[in-house]
Amino acid sequence: MKQEFYNLKIATNGQRLYEFTDQTLNWIEKNNFKNGILNLSIQHTSASIIVQENADPDVQTDLINYFDKLVPMNNKLYIHTTEGKDDMPAHIKSALTNNQISLSVKNKELLLGTWQGIYLFEHRLNPQTRTIIHHFFGEA
């Protein structure tokens, strides 16, 4: 069995979904991972990781609009507003989604559906640098 770690840095520029599927697939291929589990973890409390459709960009727009309605950016609703109107809403959105996910690797293939991609879901309005930890455990 083998374990490998990789820290992927993603520069964001506002609230949206940032796909990083290709970077993950390249890392799997580069390391010749055959079978195992890939755990992805984000080290931030105001962004999250999701697996989502990557064929129609309207899905991303609808997700952002839905979460903005579900968790409005209105400082009158929150106590924690230190960093602006997106501060507490970003934390709530992160709590409603995922800070880590596990995916299977089988026969050198990451097991995603036909129209699925892996995304960093940025909940903050201002530019950020996010770190996604990749941890593979399995055979190479």
Side-chain angles (χ1 to χ4, degrees):
M1 290 300 205
K2 180 177 185 168
Q3 286 194 69
E4 281 294 327
F5 291 88
Y6 166 58
N7 289 352
L8 174 64
K9 301 271 186 197
I10 299 176
T12 67
N13 190 21
Q15 180 179 251
R16 70 179 188 89
L17 281 75
Y18 296 83
E19 187 172 5
F20 63 95
T21 311
D22 287 343
Q23 293 97 317
T24 299
L25 292 173
N26 291 338
W27 182 68
I28 290 168
E29 183 179 343
K30 174 183 155 193
N31 286 281
N32 200 32
F33 297 143
K34 293 181 180 137
N35 296 297
I37 296 291
L38 175 62
N39 187 69
L40 302 172
S41 173
I42 189 164
Q43 294 190 303
H44 308 278
T45 59
S46 57
S48 51
I49 301 171
I50 62 172
V51 173
Q52 196 47 252
E53 178 177 328
N54 64 359
D56 185 352
D58 289 344
V59 172
Q60 296 176 33
T61 301
D62 287 342
L63 278 170
I64 291 167
N65 289 340
Y66 175 80
F67 273 93
D68 283 346
K69 288 176 186 161
L70 184 66
V71 188
M73 291 189 200
N74 179 347
N75 279 350
K76 293 178 183 176
L77 301 173
Y78 312 107
I79 298 168
H80 178 76
T81 60
T82 308
E83 297 177 58
K85 70 178 185 176
D86 64 343
D87 195 359
M88 194 60 215
H91 294 298
I92 295 170
K93 292 172 186 177
S94 178
L96 293 172
T97 52
N98 302 298
N99 66 356
Q100 64 179 343
I101 59 173
S102 292
L103 299 167
S104 297
V105 176
K106 181 180 177 187
N107 299 323
K108 300 183 181 182
E109 300 274 335
L110 185 62
L111 298 184
L112 287 170
T114 303
W115 293 297
Q116 287 184 326
I118 313 165
Y119 292 88
L120 182 159
F121 193 176
E122 178 61 68
H123 305 304
R124 300 305 296 261
L125 298 173
N126 292 325
Q128 308 289 324
T129 300
R130 303 302 193 173
T131 302
I132 309 242
I133 298 173
H134 290 57
H135 177 196
F136 175 82
F137 183 75
E139 64 178 295

